[in-house]
Amino acid sequence: MVWVLLAFMLVAVCGIWRALMANRTHRQIHEELTLSPDRVHLEHRLPKHPPKTWDATPNWITVHLSQEGPVEDYLTLRGGGREVELGAFLTPAERKDLHAELQRLIRP
């Protein structure tokens, strides 16, 4: 009887350990958006991967907030011949706030 309980406890402890390690990896995701009068630069870094970068001229950038996408209130920037996702790790309310702020900053 005790061995059966120990087996279930071991499975539970392993599950918790795995969840903690996954959380640790997700915390290492880093996204940095730099706005300047002549350039917008986005750098997205994942653990153990080379950084992904995107550059565009602010005059040609459009900010989009869509209900369709992998997350609720999907936020993207379009420009420089590409569309890039922004802030997938944010809550829907934070993405809405960021959308409003970016529209204000990019289109003064």
Side-chain angles (χ1 to χ4, degrees):
M1 177 81 170
V2 173
W3 294 109
V4 173
L5 289 176
L6 285 176
F8 282 111
M9 285 179 55
L10 180 63
V11 169
V13 168
C14 287
I16 291 171
W17 178 259
R18 197 165 183 187
L20 287 172
M21 291 301 107
N23 183 38
R24 180 178 170 202
T25 302
H26 284 90
R27 283 189 326 214
Q28 294 174 351
I29 295 173
H30 183 78
E31 196 169 76
E32 185 175 322
L33 180 66
T34 307
L35 301 171
S36 66
D38 61 336
R39 207 85 184 129
V40 175
H41 177 79
L42 177 66
E43 184 171 289
H44 183 82
R45 285 183 247 139
L46 296 169
K48 300 180 184 177
H49 292 292
K52 296 178 183 179
T53 60
W54 174 78
D55 290 293
T57 306
N59 298 335
W60 300 104
I61 292 177
T62 56
V63 184
H64 298 272
L65 188 66
S66 172
Q67 296 304 317
E68 299 174 11
V71 294
E72 185 181 340
D73 293 322
Y74 188 59
L75 181 60
T76 59
L77 295 176
R78 291 182 192 158
R82 288 175 50 198
E83 180 175 17
V84 292
E85 176 182 20
L86 189 62
F89 52 87
L90 299 173
T91 66
E94 290 171 331
R95 280 191 291 274
K96 285 179 183 176
D97 292 343
L98 181 59
H99 175 257
E101 184 72 15
L102 286 174
Q103 282 193 320
R104 186 183 67 76
L105 291 171
I106 291 176
R107 301 277 180 218

